[in-house]
Amino acid sequence: MNGIDYFVMALYALMIVMTTLWAMRKVGNTKDFFAAGGKMPWWLSGISHHMSGYSAAVFVAYAAVAYKYGLTIYFWWAFPISIAVFIGSVIFAPRWARLRIHMNIESPMEYLATRYNVPTQQILAWSGVFLKTFDVGAKWAAIAIIINVFTGLDPLVGIAISGVLCLFYTVLGGLWADACNDFGQFIVQFIAAIVMVIAVAFHLGGFSNLLTIWDRLPAGHTDIVAGPYSMGFILAYFVIYTLSYNGGTWNLAQRFIASPRGKDARKAALLSSVLYLVWPLILFYPMWAAPLLFPDIADPSQSYSIMAMNLLPNGLIGLVLVAMFTHTLSMTSSDSNAITAVVTRDILPVLLPKRFGQGQSSLLVARVTVVLFILTTLLIAVNASRFGGVLSLLIVWFGGLVGPISIPMLLGLLPWFRKCGPAAAITSWAAGVSAFFLVKFVVPDMSTAQIVAIPVLLSLAVFVIGGLLRRRPVSAEVDVLLNALNQDQAEDLPAPKVAAAYQSESR
């Protein structure tokens, strides 16, 4: 890299600063900070949902998979997510927006105190915060690897630079800054990805050769199922993606919560689904072609970075680095905002009821919490190797634990599971978490697919069976809530009237 590349990066940083300063003017309270005041347009919510769904790990850990095994990465990552989000556009996304309308929530965990009870809410909130702390730490570690390859900077310096920039716009601009920067980052990423495809085509001898790479790639690179990524792994991850991308990952739920109505949340989910179906085919093409251009890369996780450094002229190298860098900022900043919402809206009111018991959280408290969370994740990033590296943290730990946490939260939105109460929720969570630690650390010779699948399937089974065995009638309050979330008509009423009707029916 040279001065031109660093100039491109400086322009990107300036864009973030200007966008954040604009977003600050739209943040007057915690509702604006956490839920964009319920005013986010569907197209912005959809692009932000897509951008917040993956990080620079795509260009590190997933690039390694594409380099070693080929096409399978699309079929166990992008394609299942697209289908999962499409399903969620009908079932889950509208309900998140209606939940804000009916209960005035700012956090995706906030409704659980009504749907189940406070202990259930606290168990899921605390365990989710713990899991996301490690997940975000893995993403900081991924961007540090990329910065090191491009610039030679020590990974610790790369982690620090990423963290400071994220702190700036997450603390000041909240969800508005996250979403608006996601849009700008999407434009940057679009240009950079097209540039990489053109560069690969040029070095392969022309655009016509892009379509013939499959015949020249190593054996097995065109297989849908390859290496450790079995059909069982793909199916297990489809279940996990359905839970995660429809709200089990809290920052993605926030994009739907911020939508004005259920119909807007539905359109946002459909847009994100289309982007996951089409865009990764362009994004991964250089990674699939990498074995032809650089057949002997010692560390496949550096394959995308090495290609950019060798195939692109100065200026464009900086653009590609910015594009990869933006993915981490998109996901980590939105994760930080969502975690802060859960801490300030769900955890602090229980820990300190005299101070926060009446929803008295302030912007100052929210911003301090963001700072503390990001600093903690940066410490995790510095020690990522102790947890098995980036890929292990992202695929095994997150995949194995997100299901038990998100099943009671997501299925609790649906009327079909109205009989599943707090006992089913807590038992489901405990069974899934226990199963993960057993198959990960106790039972020998378990495959990645088994480590990921067993916890989520066991948790799902326990939750459903717990509802079937329940003898106590469902409370009127829960019935009213679930019926309201199932209706579009109430969205046309002003929010205060909806809330009043909900409270009256509950009594």
Side-chain angles (χ1 to χ4, degrees):
M1 291 180 62
N2 65 14
I4 300 176
D5 299 301
Y6 289 108
F7 177 72
V8 171
M9 296 182 68
L11 286 179
Y12 165 71
L14 179 62
M15 180 196 78
I16 285 185
V17 170
M18 298 304 293
T19 304
T20 302
L21 293 177
W22 173 84
M24 280 181 62
R25 297 183 299 173
K26 299 179 73 69
V27 178
N29 52 45
T30 56
K31 185 176 181 180
D32 297 327
F33 191 81
F34 293 132
K39 300 175 182 178
M40 188 175 292
W42 67 268
W43 56 269
L44 181 59
S45 178
I47 290 175
S48 183
H49 182 278
H50 174 77
M51 289 295 292
S52 298
Y54 55 106
S55 69
V58 166
F59 305 99
V60 180
Y62 292 178
V65 175
Y67 185 87
K68 291 172 65 177
Y69 301 108
L71 201 60
T72 185
I73 183 66
Y74 177 79
F75 287 98
W76 70 252
W77 181 68
F79 183 71
I81 293 176
S82 177
I83 302 302
V85 177
F86 177 79
I87 293 171
S89 70
V90 178
I91 299 175
F92 296 110
R95 285 182 165 85
W96 284 117
R98 294 171 195 153
L99 202 56
R100 178 188 52 75
I101 294 171
H102 286 280
M103 295 188 67
N104 201 32
I105 67 164
E106 297 173 17
S107 150
M109 307 294 283
E110 204 167 339
Y111 92 103
L112 295 180
T114 299
R115 176 60 180 84
Y116 300 112
N117 56 26
V118 172
T120 304
Q121 178 203 43
Q122 292 300 296
I123 288 173
L124 296 177
W126 278 99
S127 54
V129 168
F130 178 80
L131 174 62
K132 289 304 296 182
T133 301
F134 284 88
D135 181 54
V136 174
K139 295 174 176 65
W140 291 131
I143 192 62
I145 293 172
I146 290 173
I147 291 175
N148 173 258
V149 173
F150 275 82
T151 67
L153 288 175
D154 187 278
L156 291 177
V157 177
I159 290 170
I161 293 173
S162 308
V164 169
L165 196 54
C166 180
L167 273 170
F168 171 75
Y169 79 81
T170 307
V171 169
L172 295 181
L175 189 60
W176 274 118
D178 287 345
C180 292
N181 278 312
D182 285 347
F183 179 74
Q185 290 158 4
F186 178 75
I187 300 301
V188 171
Q189 180 216 96
F190 178 85
I191 297 171
I194 297 299
V195 165
M196 275 294 291
V197 171
I198 293 173
V200 168
F202 177 80
H203 284 82
L204 286 174
F207 282 98
S208 60
N209 289 327
L210 284 176
L211 302 178
T212 64
I213 65 170
W214 310 110
D215 297 329
R216 292 178 284 159
L217 288 173
H221 272 230
T222 57
D223 295 343
I224 294 176
V225 175
Y229 309 107
S230 63
M231 185 57 67
F233 179 91
I234 294 173
L235 293 175
Y237 250 86
F238 174 71
V239 175
I240 291 167
Y241 291 142
T242 302
L243 296 170
S244 175
Y245 282 78
N246 288 305
T249 299
W250 298 339
N251 65 308
L252 301 180
Q254 277 188 299
R255 271 63 191 164
F256 302 138
I257 292 172
S259 299
R261 300 182 185 183
K263 62 183 70 175
D264 295 295
R266 182 183 295 114
K267 288 194 290 186
L270 287 173
L271 174 57
S272 182
S273 174
V274 170
L275 289 174
Y276 273 110
L277 182 66
V278 177
W279 183 240
L281 292 173
I282 299 171
L283 204 62
F284 278 115
Y285 221 95
M287 305 181 204
W288 288 326
L292 299 178
L293 298 173
F294 300 92
D296 300 311
I297 296 177
D299 182 0
S301 68
Q302 297 182 357
S303 57
Y304 196 87
S305 302
I306 290 173
M307 289 181 69
M309 294 288 287
N310 284 274
L311 302 184
L312 298 178
N314 289 107
L316 293 181
I317 294 175
L319 182 67
V320 169
L321 175 56
V322 164
M324 293 189 284
F325 187 77
T326 59
H327 270 296
T328 294
L329 288 184
S330 294
M331 201 168 192
T332 53
S333 61
S334 58
D335 275 335
S336 301
N337 187 275
I339 294 297
T340 303
V342 170
V343 172
T344 58
R345 299 288 296 184
D346 305 314
I347 293 177
L348 288 181
V350 175
L351 286 181
L352 303 169
K354 292 183 179 179
R355 175 65 180 85
F356 302 102
Q358 302 299 319
Q360 298 167 2
S361 57
S362 66
L363 274 176
L364 177 61
V365 173
R367 284 167 170 157
V368 169
T369 306
V370 168
V371 172
L372 294 176
F373 174 75
I374 291 177
L375 291 178
T376 303
T377 60
L378 294 175
L379 290 176
I380 296 292
V382 172
N383 295 281
S385 60
R386 299 186 181 185
F387 303 99
V390 173
L391 192 62
S392 178
L393 276 171
L394 290 175
I395 293 180
V396 178
W397 282 83
F398 184 77
L401 291 174
V402 71
I405 295 170
S406 59
I407 282 172
M409 182 180 70
L410 271 181
L411 300 190
L413 293 168
L414 306 179
W416 316 312
F417 300 96
R418 67 175 68 238
K419 292 186 67 176
C420 298
I426 294 175
T427 307
S428 166
W429 169 84
V433 172
S434 300
F436 172 76
F437 284 99
L438 281 174
V439 297
K440 173 67 175 170
F441 298 108
V442 178
V443 181
D445 302 322
M446 300 294 284
S447 67
T448 302
Q450 291 171 318
I451 294 173
V452 169
I454 290 174
V456 68
L457 295 179
L458 178 61
S459 183
L460 178 61
V462 170
F463 185 78
V464 173
I465 293 171
L468 294 175
L469 296 177
R470 181 175 180 175
R471 294 292 178 263
R472 293 176 57 190
V474 178
S475 70
E477 191 177 30
V478 171
D479 259 338
V480 170
L481 173 62
L482 293 178
N483 290 337
L485 297 183
N486 209 37
Q487 300 171 4
D488 283 319
Q489 294 83 356
E491 296 176 13
D492 296 324
L493 294 172
K497 291 185 178 181
V498 174
Y502 167 74
Q503 293 168 0
S504 173
E505 259 192 274
S506 295
R507 287 195 294 268

